Amino acid sequence: MARALLDVAASWPDVHVEPVSVGLFLKRHSTFAQLRTKKKWTALTVKLPGEVSDPRPSLRVQRLGSRWFHTYNLTAADDLTPELVELVEQAYDADA
């Protein structure tokens, strides 16, 4: 799952992947997406300028200031849908 998302993000300019003890942070100017490995899934958290309902977050939506953090639990490679990749790209664009 992580490899598929990293392969897509590699085609965007100015993306930096920061490996940290809890997972991988995707950054442009700040962190716009996180991949955190859990026991049974990988949590993908995407920072967006607004709340989205489609695709519906599997875990939660949390608002902090003017940003919305959407978390999706990915259990298989097929869970990283084109819609989720598009949300990550929107988060990348919003981090300009």
Side-chain angles (χ1 to χ4, degrees):
M1 288 172 279
R3 174 56 45 206
L5 182 58
L6 294 176
D7 288 346
V8 171
S11 67
W12 305 331
D14 303 325
V15 171
H16 307 282
V17 177
E18 183 177 333
V20 295
S21 63
V22 296
L24 299 173
F25 288 6
L26 280 71
K27 296 183 171 192
R28 190 173 189 184
H29 296 289
S30 63
T31 300
F32 63 87
Q34 301 176 17
L35 288 164
R36 293 179 181 242
T37 304
K38 307 294 183 178
K39 283 186 177 183
K40 296 184 180 182
W41 65 82
T42 298
L44 168 64
T45 302
V46 183
K47 180 176 75 171
L48 294 165
E51 186 175 12
V52 297
S53 58
D54 187 34
R56 187 178 69 76
S58 52
L59 185 57
R60 68 174 180 257
V61 176
Q62 183 177 8
R63 183 177 183 183
L64 294 173
S66 63
R67 298 293 183 186
W68 294 81
F69 294 83
H70 300 72
T71 302
Y72 301 86
N73 290 340
L74 310 176
T75 57
D78 293 346
D79 291 344
L80 186 64
T81 64
E83 293 83 12
L84 282 180
V85 172
E86 185 176 319
L87 283 182
V88 175
E89 187 169 7
Q90 288 175 20
Y92 164 81
D93 290 338
D95 196 42

